[in-house]
Amino acid sequence: MSFWSPSAPPHVANIRRVRRRRMLAAACIAIVLAAFGAELKRWTRDVSEYRSPALSQLSDPAGVRITAHSSSLIPMPENVPSAHASAMAPLSGDRMVAFWWAGSRESGPDVKVYASRWADGQWGQPWVVASRASLGQALGFGVRRIGNPVAWTSADGKINLFVVATGLGGWAAARVVQLVSSDSGNSFTVKRLLPMSPLFNTSVLVRTAPVRLANGGWGLPLYFELGIKYPIMLAFDMHGDPNWLSRIGSRTTALQPTIVPVSNNEFHAWMRDASDEQRVQYAHSRDGGVSWSDKPALNLPNHSTSLSALRLSNGSIVVLHNHVIPGGSSRNMLRLSIVKDTHTWTHVMDVAHGKAGEEFSYPDLRQIGKQLHITYTSRREAIAHHVLDLAFGEVL
């Protein structure tokens, strides 16, 4: 005879219901803890092979002379008034592809990610890479907004494109979509949503270029932005799969890191500042980006604007950043500087300078041969492209 009887007294049935609820709650907690443990194990690794015994000094390479070669605007799609957030991906044969978002306005329903190819010294006509509809169809849920793209050309020639997209809500609900092209950017396939947390997968965005890792993979700079702001690096293996994640320092007002490796072990990161300090923020890693320590801010102004840094083939490090002068505004001057040490930078040239309130922002840097290519947002109307000649071994 069963003791689980429908004729049990009401108070006994209530006790049983409470017990079932408690058991269900315990099972849910166990599932959550198991998921958290699995994710923790997935993102944790033995980092002993990456340890560096001491901070190495930046080399003092022979100087580089940088001179202007050309400037132009990348062709825009017709009847699309706003453009922002460019990124370049080098291809074989001194070619490259540039990506950016464009539409009626930021977060507009008509915003799409566009691309244009640089070949034989000029840009081709743009084409659509991703839209709300195409991403929503591939992901299986509605996409409300599309934002910053960044790109990486892997050793096998594939272009990995990372695009910010949201479902419900604003940028605080952002996710990052990874797309892959095997035909030099002519077409892309959605590979995954980046798995950025064990329970939630929002409030993470991209802005700056990935960097090469010692194992043939790459490190993707990201940042968290929901109330507090902090930078992140996600490491990919050579096959384009993510395998570990690190937070860059402990600040809660820094974002959009630009990362520069100077050896297999030593990485430097400079970041946009969202604090009252209004200086370029800085962090350093001695173990290939697995762990980071905060360093004092640079003596370069940063009124919450993105910057881009690059190590040239001779070892020199250059940075594109928004300089601020009296009577100006936070984004009306885009300056190129070169490093003397990790905290001291020397002005090379002003790439763009307009009236207060005009915008020249969100730069990207790539070296192809003995030329430095720069793209940036020009007045939120177009993407500008500058080519600078590099002469190595000369005194600045």
Side-chain angles (χ1 to χ4, degrees), residues 64-71 318-323 333-338 345-353 365 372 374 376 386-390 396:
V64 54
R65 185 173 296 279
I66 303 175
T67 55
H69 179 87
S70 65
S71 62
V318 291
V319 61
L320 264 175
H321 58 104
N322 284 109
H323 190 61
M333 178 185 289
L334 190 61
R335 174 165 289 186
L336 181 70
S337 298
I338 191 165
W345 299 79
T346 299
H347 173 210
V348 176
M349 67 175 65
D350 291 335
V351 174
H353 187 186
L365 288 163
L372 180 64
I374 295 170
Y376 61 90
H386 291 227
V387 180
L388 307 180
D389 290 327
L390 303 172
L396 287 173

Side-chain angles (χ1 to χ4, degrees), residues 12-172:
V12 174
N14 288 337
I15 291 173
R16 288 172 176 166
R17 280 195 294 271
V18 170
R19 287 176 177 172
R20 286 198 298 271
R21 290 170 183 166
R22 289 177 176 173
M23 291 175 64
L24 180 61
C28 290
I29 292 172
I31 292 172
V32 168
L33 291 175
F36 180 79
E39 290 292 314
L40 183 63
K41 182 178 180 181
R42 186 160 63 96
W43 295 115
T44 304
R45 59 183 299 185
D46 180 8
V47 300
S48 58
E49 61 180 302
Y50 291 92
R51 294 296 178 189
S52 178
L55 172 62
S56 62
Q57 296 297 315
L58 288 181
S59 61
D60 184 18
V64 54
R65 185 173 296 279
I66 303 175
T67 55
H69 179 87
S70 65
S71 62
S72 61
L73 297 178
I74 297 177
M76 284 280 289
E78 293 185 5
N79 302 317
V80 179
S82 182
H84 192 40
S86 59
M88 292 176 281
L91 301 174
S92 61
D94 292 342
R95 300 173 303 141
M96 64 181 173
V97 180
F99 303 91
W100 69 97
W101 67 250
S104 57
R105 56 179 173 80
E106 183 171 338
S107 302
D110 60 344
V111 166
K112 299 178 178 67
V113 174
Y114 291 87
S116 176
R117 185 173 290 104
W118 169 266
D120 299 324
Q122 61 184 359
W123 291 102
Q125 289 301 306
W127 69 91
V128 176
V129 169
S131 66
R132 295 196 314 163
S134 67
L135 291 182
Q137 181 178 7
L139 295 171
F141 60 81
V143 173
R144 183 183 180 189
R145 303 166 186 253
I146 294 179
N148 303 339
V150 300
W152 176 256
T153 306
S154 54
D156 58 8
K158 294 180 180 178
I159 300 176
N160 288 263
L161 183 67
F162 302 92
V163 177
V164 173
T166 73
L168 297 175
W171 296 128

Side-chain angles (χ1 to χ4, degrees), residues 226-291:
L226 179 58
I228 64 172
K229 301 172 176 63
Y230 59 83
I232 307 166
M233 191 183 88
L234 176 61
F236 288 77
D237 63 24
M238 66 178 62
H239 306 294
D241 297 320
N243 55 11
W244 55 269
L245 182 73
S246 65
R247 176 169 170 173
I248 300 176
S250 59
R251 292 185 177 93
T252 57
T253 56
L255 64 160
Q256 297 179 341
T258 179
I259 300 174
V260 176
V262 298
S263 71
N264 288 342
N265 295 324
E266 187 176 345
F267 286 17
H268 299 267
W270 294 280
M271 292 149 287
R272 171 176 173 172
D273 184 18
S275 73
D276 294 336
E277 191 172 9
Q278 296 188 330
R279 290 288 183 268
V280 173
Q281 299 298 319
Y282 171 44
H284 176 261
S285 173
R286 300 183 183 185
D287 53 19
V290 177
S291 62

